[in-house]
Amino acid sequence: MPTARLSDANVQRNGRRLRMLVALTVLFLLWWYLLGVVDREAFRAEQMSANMMLSQMRSALVVRGAEVMLARDQRLENQVGLNPVELMEQSWSRYLGPCGLALPAPGYWCFQNSTEKTTENRHRGWLIYQPARPITLAGRSSRVDQPLAWEVTTDFADRNNNGQREQEERLTGLKLEPVALQHGSVQRQDAEH
């Protein structure tokens, strides 16, 4: 009889181990699935947030461009390079202000000055976003290690569709234009915005 009790105890112990193994496997699979869902949602949230910020800045630039065009003492050319975040009435927790010497942390924005100050006591430069994930932002694909940059420029009526402003083509407003960030400076891109 003692061997039967030992084998029953072994069977029960092995049964508990098997149930524990199955439960741990199911928990691991659920955890793995949940991590994938959280990552996808974080990706979507970052992409939507960054695109929303760009859209709001573009809207603020349309309003600013109209104000400048209606004012007799201002010119659109003087608005090139301004910080578009200063035009928005709401503050953004992801906007750090001036970049300084370093680029922003992943998921944050900053404004890189290209000059110290202009005569209007305003900074000129470009807006920089450091993606936390590889996302597509305003039609531009990004990598985590490569920040994206935009500069406020003037828009014009391109009558001959060559992409270059001729003397007779008038300015029509302000826009955000993508620029390539290269070691503290930028180069204009021929990318669509």
Side-chain angles (χ1 to χ4, degrees), residues 27-42:
L27 283 174
F28 175 76
L29 290 174
L30 287 173
W31 177 74
W32 188 262
Y33 176 76
L34 183 63
L35 281 179
V37 168
V38 167
D39 188 51
R40 280 191 305 276
E41 289 305 311

Side-chain angles (χ1 to χ4, degrees), residues 20-151:
M20 180 67 89
L21 181 64
V22 168
L24 287 175
T25 302
V26 168
L27 283 174
F28 175 76
L29 290 174
L30 287 173
W31 177 74
W32 188 262
Y33 176 76
L34 183 63
L35 281 179
V37 168
V38 167
D39 188 51
R40 280 191 305 276
E41 289 305 311
F43 165 80
R44 283 187 45 208
E46 179 181 1
Q47 187 160 314
M48 288 175 63
S49 172
N51 275 314
M52 183 177 69
M53 188 165 173
L54 281 175
S55 293
Q56 289 185 355
M57 282 186 279
R58 285 189 173 113
S59 296
L61 286 171
V62 167
V63 171
R64 179 66 180 152
E67 289 172 349
V68 169
M69 289 172 59
L70 291 173
R72 295 182 186 261
D73 60 337
Q74 296 181 8
R75 297 175 46 95
L76 286 172
E77 295 92 344
N78 296 339
Q79 305 298 311
V80 171
L82 71 85
N83 185 351
V85 179
E86 291 176 354
L87 301 176
M88 299 187 334
E89 293 182 9
Q90 91 182 56
S91 62
W92 291 85
S93 62
R94 295 282 178 174
Y95 177 67
L96 301 175
C99 292
L101 299 176
L103 291 174
Y108 286 88
W109 299 78
C110 70
F111 186 76
Q112 179 65 52
N113 293 320
S114 61
T115 60
E116 289 301 314
K117 288 195 175 187
T118 63
T119 56
E120 301 103 30
N121 207 18
R122 285 194 164 171
H123 293 286
R124 299 287 183 226
W126 47 91
L127 186 69
I128 297 175
Y129 179 65
Q130 180 71 47
R133 291 171 179 70
I135 62 173
T136 301
L137 188 56
R140 297 171 67 190
S141 296
S142 70
R143 299 187 330 228
V144 174
D145 62 339
Q146 182 180 15
L148 299 172
W150 292 267
E151 181 180 30

